[in-house]
Amino acid sequence: MADSYRYRCGECGHRTAWGSESQGGESMETHYARRHPHIAPGGMVEFRKGSSGGCPGCLVAVGIVVLLLILASRR
């Protein structure tokens, strides 16, 4: 999930590239220092869902359900 975060500036609409949470935060701090030097960093954070290929815990749960269905159908 290294590319799951993107930050948007609260002042001008600038957006960072998709990246890690720390990369986005650092990029936004740099942006505010250059473009809005007397304003505390603000804006919003976007989180891209599904960038890791799904929920590993969900996959395990689905596998267990399928296994139980197979075992139940044999009786």
Side-chain angles (χ1 to χ4, degrees):
M1 290 195 349
D3 61 344
S4 298
Y5 295 89
R6 177 167 67 180
Y7 288 69
R8 288 181 181 235
C9 177
E11 310 305 318
C12 68
H14 167 78
R15 292 181 294 188
T16 65
W18 289 104
S20 70
E21 188 173 10
S22 61
Q23 289 171 333
E26 290 174 12
S27 179
M28 191 52 62
E29 287 179 14
T30 302
H31 168 76
Y32 266 82
R34 290 181 184 160
R35 300 288 305 263
H36 316 290
H38 301 292
I39 300 174
M44 63 180 277
V45 179
E46 293 180 73
F47 180 73
R48 180 168 35 186
K49 295 180 182 177
S51 62
S52 66
C55 168
C58 298
L59 184 58
V60 171
V62 169
I64 290 171
V65 169
V66 169
L67 180 62
L68 290 173
L69 288 172
I70 290 171
L71 292 175
S73 69
R74 291 184 166 202
R75 294 183 180 196

